[in-house]
Amino acid sequence: MALLVDKLRPRSLEALTYHQDLSARLSSLAASPDFPHLLFYGPSGAGKKTRILATLRALYGPGVEKIKIDARVFQTSSSRKLEFNIVSSVYHLEITPSDVGNYDRVVIQELLKEVAQTQQVDLNARQRFKVVVINEADSLTRDAQAALRRTMEKYSNNVRLILVANSTAGIIAPIRSRTLLIRVAAPTETQITDALAKAAKKENWKALPELNARIAKESGRNLRKALLMLEAIYASTPEPSPSTAIPPADWEVLVAEIANDMIRERSPQQILHVRAKLYDLLTHCIPATMVLKTLTWQLVRHKQVDDELKPQIVRWASFYEHRIKGGSKVIFHLEAFVAKFMRIFESYLMGMEM
């Protein structure tokens, strides 16, 4: 059974209910004979992927929705084999090169070269080029981005790139200058409330405007998260009320437990205990940066953490977030942040006792 967020995803640009000026702009680009490389950026849950899929439909028609998942194996110069999944249709490919870490350059070089050297074979296609959607483009290494820039210059006749990122800060200037930047802002709480009301109506659920407003506020203007929260409430409570508690995600509960563990005891044994929970989060595909961000907010909001410590916690969280993006073993940097917090908190408590 499909999740609500997938089942109710708009299929066309006209069906999108917010940022309609942006939808009109994308419709104009899709109808243009000179479709550019695009860079979509904005916060999670703002609707970047939904707009990209709708734009692809405007470019190629409904055939773009007939997708398949292929497993490819790439070989590095050191003979290491990399397994990589590709979501594709006749007209486009969707890849996430950052899944292979520092070897993303190999995927970019080999896969894009292969796609770019092949012309569109469907004579009924509205466009003669293929589109490659690259997720998490701001997580690509500098080498991969340099290879991407060369591909954009050399094979622009046969391929168009659509990059997806949370921010343009991690994208090198040569790529930014060769793409049309499309900013997808987070929806307002009112827009999320309206979307939740429409979703509940389609599912024949009881209309609860107060509950929808609470979900919109708790979601942090993340529409995908808001829809998942709404579905979780109706799945656990057949007859919810305006005051029904909003269940947190399982991984968020585990991060809260980690924060409590770090504050309750500060010892090498506790670090090992926390490491096991961090591994559990990572093996369930929770991004390390999201774990670090959520853990930081749990710590700064904790009643035992004084205002004097909060700037230091945020400073070191940003330091280790930078390390995570530049390193290959994220668990080392998450564990280092845990140890750093324990040291700071222990020093603060000792200063209070003196």
Side-chain angles (χ1 to χ4, degrees), residues 51-236:
R51 278 171 169 73
I52 289 171
L53 294 174
T55 303
L56 291 174
R57 184 184 174 94
L59 274 171
Y60 299 109
V64 79
E65 296 177 352
K66 298 177 182 179
I67 63 173
K68 62 179 180 178
I69 301 177
D70 294 325
R72 292 285 300 275
V73 177
F74 297 92
Q75 189 165 348
T76 67
S77 57
S78 59
S79 299
R80 178 174 179 175
K81 292 184 178 180
L82 305 173
E83 293 186 1
F84 188 72
N85 290 330
I86 301 171
V87 179
S88 65
S89 72
V90 176
Y91 308 104
H92 84 292
L93 286 84
E94 182 178 338
I95 60 176
T96 310
S98 59
D99 285 348
V100 295
N102 289 335
Y103 295 101
D104 52 0
R105 177 181 56 83
V106 178
V107 174
I108 291 291
Q109 285 181 330
E110 296 191 17
L111 180 63
L112 290 189
K113 183 179 180 181
E114 175 186 322
V115 174
Q117 289 178 338
T118 306
Q119 290 188 341
Q120 181 65 261
V121 295
D122 189 347
L123 298 178
N124 297 320
R126 302 176 188 176
Q127 303 288 352
R128 303 306 301 163
F129 54 80
K130 268 195 170 185
V131 171
V132 179
V133 180
I134 301 180
N135 298 318
E136 300 178 12
D138 49 344
S139 297
L140 294 174
T141 62
R142 296 285 169 167
D143 289 342
Q145 292 191 43
L148 193 61
R149 184 196 66 183
R150 290 191 292 271
T151 301
M152 295 169 72
E153 294 173 344
K154 190 173 181 179
Y155 301 107
S156 59
N157 290 332
N158 293 345
V159 68
R160 294 291 188 277
L161 300 179
I162 298 182
L163 310 181
V164 189
N166 288 336
S167 168
T168 59
I171 308 293
I172 61 176
I175 289 182
R176 292 202 303 268
S177 66
R178 288 165 174 79
T179 56
L180 178 62
L181 272 61
I182 305 290
R183 179 177 179 268
V184 184
T188 64
E189 290 185 9
T190 301
Q191 289 169 335
I192 291 179
T193 302
D194 293 341
L196 294 176
K198 291 179 181 178
K201 185 177 180 180
K202 287 183 179 180
E203 295 295 309
N204 295 319
W205 292 338
K206 182 180 178 182
L208 296 170
E210 294 180 13
L211 179 61
N212 292 343
R214 286 174 50 222
I215 292 174
K217 186 176 181 63
E218 287 289 327
S219 68
R221 296 175 62 190
N222 184 323
L223 181 55
R224 179 175 59 247
K225 184 177 180 181
L227 287 169
L228 291 172
M229 291 166 73
L230 179 70
E231 189 171 19
I233 288 173
Y234 279 90
S236 60

Side-chain angles (χ1 to χ4, degrees), residues 311-331:
Q312 295 187 60
I313 296 172
V314 174
R315 171 176 173 264
W316 285 109
S318 63
F319 175 83
Y320 286 109
E321 182 185 26
H322 180 71
R323 289 288 185 91
I324 285 173
K325 291 183 177 180
S328 58
K329 296 289 186 180
V330 297
I331 187 64

